[in-house]
Amino acid sequence: MAKTIFITGATSGFGKLWTEALLQRGDNVVATSRKANAFTALSEKYGDQFLPLQLDITDREAVFATVNKAKEHFGQLDVVINNAGYGVFGAVEEVGEKVARDVFDANLFGTLWVTQAALPILRAQGHGHIIQLSSVLGVWSLPTLGIYNATKFAVEGLSEALASEVKDFGINVTLIEPNGYKTEFGGSSAVFGDQLDVYNPLKESLTKIEGLGPDDYGTPEATVPAILKLIDSDNPPLRLFLGKLGYVKTERVYGEKLQQWKEWKDVSEAAHG
C-alpha cells in the first residue's frame, strides 16, 4: 500500500533521489525546501500525489505549521525523513561562532523541530517511522570535520534516546549512516572555516591517512533500494550504514576504544570511591 512520506532537503543529493523514487512507486510525498519553486517539474508530473512546501527547518514555528499542513493534506504521516543539513569543513580552531551556530541550527535543531512536530501525529495514529540522516561521522570522527561531527554525534544521541521513548507508541526510529558519496556534500552545499596555515600539512595528509580513493565514494543512486527496503520494513533497525566502509572502520575504531578503556579500567574503577 502507498505510504505518506514527509522529507526535508528534497531538492538535491539523497533527498532528491529518494523523493523521485518514492513518487515513482506510488507513495504520497510531502517534500520541503527553502526554495519556493524547486519542485515545479515534479508537481506537474505527479499532481495530487505530491505536496511541495517551502520550509526553513531552523524556524521552529514554521516547522510545526508545515508538518501539520502535510498531515491535514494527506490525512496521516507514515514516514518522516529528516534529510536536510550540510557539511562544515575546517579544523575546530578554524570554525567561527556564526558558522558553528548555523550548522547546529540546521543539522541538529532542524532535525529536532521536525521530530517534535511529527511525534504527536504519529503517536495519535499509533504508528510511524522517523528516519534521521546521520553519517558515519556521527559514529567516529575525522580531523577537519569536528564541528560537523559534533552535529551528527548529537543527532545520534538524541535519536537513540528517542527510539526508547516512543517504541511503546508504535513509532520506530532509524539513524541512516552513509559513508562518503559522490554528492555535493563537499562542494556547493558545504561551508568552510577560516583557513589557518598551521593546519595545511594535516589537510594535505588526510587522503593518505584515510586511504580514500575514488572507489571509496559510493554512487548515490545505489542507496535507493536500501531506503525503500527500510521504509517497507515491519521491524526497521535503529542504525543502518549506507556504503561499504562504515562497518569495517567502525569495527576497528570501536575495537581501539574498548582496548583503551580496558587499559585504564583500574583507574576508572578506583575513581568510583
Side-chain angles (χ1 to χ4, degrees), residues 19-37:
T19 295
E20 292 176 351
L22 291 163
L23 288 167
Q24 286 168 10
R25 75 171 194 166
D27 290 317
N28 299 317
V29 178
V30 183
T32 76
S33 170
R34 290 190 180 209
K35 304 172 186 175
N37 61 348

Side-chain angles (χ1 to χ4, degrees), residues 207-228:
T207 300
K208 294 179 182 178
I209 293 171
E210 294 301 321
L212 294 177
D215 292 340
D216 293 315
Y217 291 88
T219 302
E221 291 78 6
T223 66
V224 169
I227 294 304
L228 298 183

Side-chain angles (χ1 to χ4, degrees), residues 2-8 10 15-16 18-32 39 42 46-53 70 73-74 77 79 81 231:
K3 295 178 182 289
T4 297
I5 296 159
F6 183 100
I7 180 169
T8 65
K16 182 178 180 181
W18 299 344
T19 295
E20 292 176 351
L22 291 163
L23 288 167
Q24 286 168 10
R25 75 171 194 166
D27 290 317
N28 299 317
V29 178
V30 183
T32 76
F39 300 110
L42 289 179
Y46 291 100
D48 293 341
Q49 184 190 339
F50 182 56
L51 178 63
L53 297 173
H73 183 86
F74 283 116
L77 296 178
V79 181
I81 304 177
I231 286 172

Side-chain angles (χ1 to χ4, degrees), residues 139-141 248-258:
V139 182
W140 34 263
S141 62
V248 174
K249 179 159 182 178
T250 300
E251 190 173 42
R252 173 172 64 80
V253 168
Y254 274 78
E256 292 170 354
K257 288 184 177 183
L258 286 167

Side-chain angles (χ1 to χ4, degrees), residues 51 65-77 121:
L51 178 63
T66 301
V67 171
N68 287 326
K69 183 176 181 179
K71 190 267 182 183
E72 290 168 5
H73 183 86
F74 283 116
Q76 67 179 42
L77 296 178
I121 297 169

